[in-house]
Amino acid sequence: MRKQTVSLETVKSKIEELKGKEVKIRLNKGRNRIRYLKGKIDETYSSVFVVRIYDDIFDRLSCTYQDVLCGDVRFKTVE
């Protein structure tokens, strides 16, 4: 069975579709440090995107599209 690959352009378009929607975020910070956050994708740029975080010390989180591609950042939409 072959692992499915995703291009960087596909990741960018998917995040652009989620812009303005509430999402649950799984953030892998390495060394068994995983954080779960709730927020809304606020802004998208050519190489990074910004998530406005609810109920945390920090109110914004910036991530690269490469983080999503590697699996360090994962999203799930909130209905």
Side-chain angles (χ1 to χ4, degrees), residues 1-67:
M1 189 165 140
R2 189 171 181 168
K3 189 173 182 179
Q4 182 181 1
T5 59
V6 179
S7 70
L8 193 60
E9 295 301 319
T10 306
V11 171
K12 285 183 182 182
S13 66
K14 292 288 186 183
I15 291 175
E16 189 67 37
E17 289 174 11
L18 292 174
K19 186 175 176 183
K21 296 182 182 176
E22 292 190 13
V23 293
K24 288 183 181 178
I25 303 162
R26 180 185 180 272
L27 181 63
N28 185 354
K29 298 186 72 155
R31 293 195 177 251
N32 297 324
R33 291 179 297 170
I34 296 175
R35 295 185 62 198
Y36 294 94
L37 306 167
K38 270 188 172 177
K40 179 172 73 170
I41 297 179
D42 201 22
E43 303 170 35
T44 56
Y45 298 103
S46 61
S47 59
V48 297
F49 58 95
V50 178
V51 180
R52 185 167 302 278
I53 303 296
Y54 306 141
D55 302 328
D56 198 39
I57 296 171
F58 303 106
D59 62 339
R60 295 172 63 125
L61 171 71
S62 62
C63 303
T64 64
Y65 299 108
Q66 198 70 26
D67 292 337

